[in-house]
Amino acid sequence: MLKIRLARAGTKKRPYYKIVIAEQQAPRDGRFIERIGSFNPILADDHADRIKLDLDRAKHWLSVGAKPTDRVARFLDKAGLKKRTVPNSPE
């Protein structure tokens, strides 16, 4: 099963994430199939380079059955690609 997820890069206390397509069993920072974007949480929320995402490739991978993780689903929802469902909370 394919997942669209974040792979951590950067140094200690300065995270930087790559948005990648990977097999579900692959290690978080290990082997991946394709890199489709990046996420820099250190930048301000309104900064243009905070989230970079190749929408055409994301659309392709969603069409072949790749499932996004919760965080990546937020990015895709904000870009208008995939509607995110909020998980059922007991509260």
Side-chain angles (χ1 to χ4, degrees), residues 22-37:
E23 286 289 333
Q24 186 173 359
Q25 292 81 19
R28 179 192 73 180
D29 302 333
R31 193 180 69 193
F32 59 88
I33 298 168
E34 182 180 356
R35 179 180 172 178
I36 61 170

Side-chain angles (χ1 to χ4, degrees), residues 33-89:
I33 298 168
E34 182 180 356
R35 179 180 172 178
I36 61 170
S38 63
F39 170 55
N40 189 348
I42 295 175
L43 296 176
D45 289 342
D46 57 348
H47 197 279
D49 292 336
R50 183 176 167 92
I51 301 171
K52 293 181 184 175
L53 188 60
D54 186 349
L55 297 177
D56 292 334
R57 294 307 293 165
K59 197 179 300 183
H60 165 75
W61 285 109
L62 287 170
S63 71
V64 295
K67 302 267 192 246
T69 58
D70 291 338
R71 176 58 64 177
V72 175
R74 287 182 186 204
F75 301 154
L76 295 174
D77 186 26
K78 192 173 181 179
L81 264 177
K82 182 175 169 82
K83 188 70 176 159
R84 183 173 83 101
T85 58
V86 179
N88 189 8
S89 177

